[in-house]
Amino acid sequence: DSADDTAQGQLFGYWASVRPDEVQTPKEIAARALAGRKAVYSRVPIANDHSPENRDIDLLLSATAQAANGGAVIFIDRMGYGRATTASAIACLSLRSLNKVGPAVPPPPPASVLPKGREALEKGLFASVLEFRSHFEGGDASLASVEDVCGRVGALVDIQKAPLAALQNLADAKQDAVKGAKAQRQALWLVDRWTCLLLVAQFLNSREEGATFESFADANKDIIDRMDAAGLNV
């Protein structure tokens, strides 16, 4: 039993005849492909349409640190638009922190002059982001770091813009219960990814020696819970 996908990402199953020696794990395939090369294979299992678990973020940061001195990091997932882009953004934030490269954009304006409504959505200023800015010292700089990374890497720019499109799909699907539920899940996941990157940036900007992202998340659980509860609203 096997599966394939179309250009639109639709999966379909089919039967294929294979020999036992043709069935290999990703790790086995990587070992053969990387033989004789100065490369390290790491597998970080991230559920589709979910942000990485806290412990997985630490694994991503550790793998990225190995490439800080002139190396490179390559991310691969099945579709290449969710998990790979999220991991790439985390790697960019990590490398910028390790190389002490600050954001090249000014921090966002004070809360008193922030945009509202659709303009706020277009700028990625969801209620969860506003919660983040109000509770974390240096939150503006972290937000600027994430915006800078997404703006500089063309393939990642949708990380900031995609939630708005998902919210529009949610509005369009209001009259259809099934489509509405699917659109809501997609919108929540995209906003969750945006806020995940903010938390990673905040951790990197403020971490002490030996600290882990998992311990940072545990220490700030109340704030993160408030961000999750705020969700999509502006």
Side-chain angles (χ1 to χ4, degrees):
D1 191 11
S2 187
D4 207 343
D5 57 80
T6 67
Q8 291 74 38
Q10 296 172 307
L11 292 174
F12 60 92
Y14 61 91
W15 290 99
S17 297
V18 296
R19 299 191 309 271
D21 61 312
E22 293 176 327
V23 180
Q24 295 182 318
T25 66
K27 186 175 183 179
E28 290 171 332
I29 294 172
R32 185 175 61 183
L34 299 176
R37 293 181 170 88
K38 292 182 179 180
V40 177
Y41 168 80
S42 297
R43 180 174 182 268
V44 181
I46 302 172
N48 194 27
D49 288 348
H50 286 78
S51 294
E53 298 287 340
N54 295 337
R55 63 180 179 275
D56 294 335
I57 290 175
D58 282 320
L59 290 175
L60 291 169
L61 293 175
S62 176
T64 304
Q66 297 179 45
N69 297 317
V73 185
I74 300 172
F75 295 101
I76 301 173
D77 70 22
R78 182 171 180 82
M79 300 301 294
Y81 72 87
R83 290 164 289 185
T85 54
T86 305
S88 296
I90 290 173
C92 288
L93 289 168
S94 176
L95 289 172
R96 290 169 66 82
S97 174
L98 290 169
N99 294 320
K100 302 188 185 306
V101 178
V105 294
S112 59
V113 294
L114 283 175
K116 305 293 183 183
R118 184 177 179 84
E119 184 184 358
L121 294 176
E122 289 175 345
K123 294 180 179 297
L125 295 174
F126 308 100
S128 55
V129 177
L130 300 183
E131 284 285 335
F132 170 86
R133 293 179 74 246
S134 65
H135 290 292
F136 280 109
E137 183 178 352
D140 284 351
S142 297
L143 178 55
S145 294
V146 175
E147 289 179 334
D148 196 22
V149 163
C150 293
R152 286 173 176 270
V153 185
L156 303 180
V157 73
D158 73 308
I159 288 180
Q160 185 173 4
K161 302 300 182 184
L164 178 63
L167 288 173
Q168 185 59 54
N169 290 340
L170 178 58
D172 294 341
K174 266 185 178 179
Q175 305 306 318
D176 187 312
V178 175
K179 289 183 178 179
K182 181 179 180 180
Q184 184 174 41
R185 286 195 302 272
Q186 181 73 357
L188 287 170
W189 134 242
L190 290 167
V191 173
D192 178 66
R193 177 171 66 170
W194 183 237
T195 52
C196 169
L197 294 177
L198 289 177
L199 291 169
V200 171
Q202 181 66 23
F203 165 68
L204 293 171
N205 289 341
S206 62
R207 69 173 164 180
E208 299 176 354
E209 186 175 352
T212 65
F213 181 81
E214 190 166 20
S215 64
F216 166 81
D218 288 343
N220 293 283
K221 184 179 183 302
D222 289 346
I223 298 175
I224 295 172
D225 285 346
R226 283 198 289 271
M227 289 172 63
D228 290 340
L232 299 169
N233 300 312
V234 291

